Amino acid sequence: MNSKNTKIGSRERVMYLDLLKAVSIIGVIFIHVSAVNWYTDKLYTPEWIIHTIYNGLVQFSVPVFVMVSGALFLARDIPVKTIYKKYMPRLIIAYLFWSTVYALIKFCPVRNVNTFICEIIKGHYHLWFVPMIAVQYMLVPIYKRIVKNRRLAEYFIIISLALFSVIPTIIGQIAICSKDYGEALQALYSKANLDVLFGYSLFFILGYILNTAELSRKAERIIYIIGAIGFISTPLLIILNSRATGAASTFYGGNFRPNVIACAVSIFVFTKNHSGYLKSGTAFARVITKLSKYSFGVYLVHLVFLELLRYTYKITPETFGAALGVPLMVIIVYAASTLVTAIISKIPFINKYIV
């Protein structure tokens, strides 16, 4: 794999990365909308299968989000002081603000202050992304040392894939076939405490590697073929695994499953190599840039609208039929979330911290 040193300036927009962010946030909303009744629906009904297909096809979204962050942060010279002065306060305030919003929605009126405070600390289930990305930012100085040595960075990716993706997937599949062997292997694997070293570091560094790599046509084709296999196999594997376990199972929809990583890498590479039509300054490019800037705010706020539709108005994808209902609800939630984010982004001072 040849590489080129792509320098991303602090004010320079990289259009394909903006496009990836804009697409990925829509994918995240697809994941959450299609999962509304997924665990409670009867298995193998047409509705459940449709939800599974939608869900499986967009599992690349979170890995791509992290890869974009890695591509941007590791290509810039960002002082440690800037990380803690600019980026960390924004993440902390955004987390606390939106945790409070979701806690108020869940517990209003507040009857137990301790429970309410604990709920704010724990955060709404989708806010896990915020502390995770905060840790990635904290590790940027270490990652910068790794990516300076291309072979070391590629070795890190290979080891991460093996230890945090391939091996856990094999162990999980063995556990389905033999519970005893699966539990024994899982106990052995857990002793290594790999979460401390690997995990989302894989995607953060992989984003930088792919952003700066010049792939041969052959390598690009191989990535697309493996990615296509990933897209086809993910919903199928989820369905088959659910059948094997007797319950709705997201095992093969996890961010670290090889099939999902294959999807994420192929989407990243394809967008990078085939988005030359996105010329800076054009109307379409300006729209993509704006939607990219709104993506973090949309991520934070979109569950407000999804849960409002679900619990207050009793609207779910089945209300319109699963095939139509999922994309229709995605459009409604995305549009409302984008509008709110756009409004908040116009408010001086707070726009820097909560969206």
Side-chain angles (χ1 to χ4, degrees), residues 164-337:
F164 213 76
S165 178
V166 176
I167 292 175
T169 301
I170 293 172
I171 291 174
Q173 190 58 51
I174 290 173
I176 294 171
C177 302
S178 171
K179 184 179 178 180
D180 291 340
Y181 287 130
E183 288 180 351
L185 288 170
Q186 184 60 50
L188 173 61
Y189 177 80
S190 64
K191 293 182 188 300
N193 292 308
L194 296 177
D195 289 14
V196 175
L197 183 59
F198 298 102
Y200 286 92
S201 303
L202 162 65
F203 299 125
F204 209 83
I205 293 179
L206 183 58
Y208 173 84
I209 293 291
L210 293 176
N211 180 56
T212 57
E214 290 182 335
L215 298 171
S216 67
R217 292 248 179 135
K218 181 179 179 182
E220 192 176 341
R221 283 196 296 268
I222 291 172
I223 287 173
Y224 295 153
I225 291 170
I226 296 174
I229 293 171
F231 276 107
I232 294 169
S233 66
T234 299
L236 182 61
L237 286 169
I238 293 172
I239 292 170
L240 294 175
N241 193 54
S242 297
R243 181 182 292 275
T245 58
S249 171
T250 59
F251 179 77
Y252 281 103
N255 292 331
F256 295 100
R257 299 285 80 84
N259 48 296
V260 172
I261 295 174
C263 297
V265 170
S266 64
I267 285 287
F268 194 101
V269 171
F270 181 84
T271 306
K272 176 189 174 185
N273 292 338
H274 298 279
S275 57
Y277 58 89
L278 286 174
K279 303 298 183 183
S280 296
T282 64
F284 183 63
R286 286 195 293 270
V287 170
I288 294 299
T289 297
K290 189 69 71 174
L291 294 179
S292 172
K293 289 181 177 179
Y294 291 160
S295 61
F296 184 59
V298 171
Y299 184 91
L300 295 169
V301 75
H302 77 278
L303 261 297
V304 170
F305 294 103
L306 180 55
E307 295 189 354
L308 184 68
L309 289 172
R310 182 182 183 185
Y311 295 113
T312 303
Y313 297 105
K314 310 301 180 186
I315 297 174
T316 67
E318 281 79 4
T319 304
F320 311 98
L324 175 63
V326 171
L328 183 58
M329 284 189 66
V330 168
I331 292 171
I332 294 170
V333 171
Y334 181 66
S337 303

Side-chain angles (χ1 to χ4, degrees), residues 19-37:
L19 180 59
L20 283 170
K21 286 175 68 177
V23 169
S24 293
I25 185 57
I26 296 173
V28 168
I29 298 175
F30 259 101
I31 291 172
H32 290 151
V33 169
S34 61
V36 163
N37 293 324

Side-chain angles (χ1 to χ4, degrees), residues 39-59:
Y39 290 98
T40 56
D41 280 347
K42 187 177 180 181
L43 296 184
Y44 320 126
T45 61
E47 291 79 11
W48 186 85
I49 291 174
I50 289 170
H51 290 160
T52 303
I53 292 172
Y54 276 129
N55 197 285
L57 291 176
V58 292
Q59 287 297 326

Side-chain angles (χ1 to χ4, degrees), residues 82-94 352-353:
T82 301
I83 293 173
Y84 285 93
K85 185 177 179 180
K86 178 180 179 180
Y87 296 104
M88 297 302 290
R90 182 192 181 194
L91 292 174
I92 293 169
I93 293 171
K352 297 179 180 180
Y353 295 101

Side-chain angles (χ1 to χ4, degrees), residues 120-133:
I120 292 174
I121 294 170
K122 289 188 297 183
H124 195 267
Y125 70 85
H126 79 296
L127 294 178
W128 68 269
F129 182 86
V130 181
M132 180 278 294
I133 206 67

Side-chain angles (χ1 to χ4, degrees), residues 98-160:
W98 289 106
S99 273
T100 303
V101 169
Y102 285 105
L104 283 170
I105 293 172
K106 182 175 181 179
F107 289 107
C108 190
V110 178
R111 295 185 178 88
N112 187 313
V113 175
N114 287 336
T115 301
F116 181 71
I117 293 174
C118 288
E119 192 68 18
I120 292 174
I121 294 170
K122 289 188 297 183
H124 195 267
Y125 70 85
H126 79 296
L127 294 178
W128 68 269
F129 182 86
V130 181
M132 180 278 294
I133 206 67
V135 170
Q136 299 309 308
Y137 290 173
M138 292 165 66
L139 292 173
V140 162
I142 297 173
Y143 295 158
K144 291 281 286 186
R145 290 297 187 96
I146 293 174
V147 299
K148 278 184 177 179
N149 184 323
R150 193 74 180 187
R151 288 196 176 276
L152 178 61
E154 290 173 357
Y155 177 73
F156 183 90
I157 294 299
I158 293 170
I159 292 297
S160 298

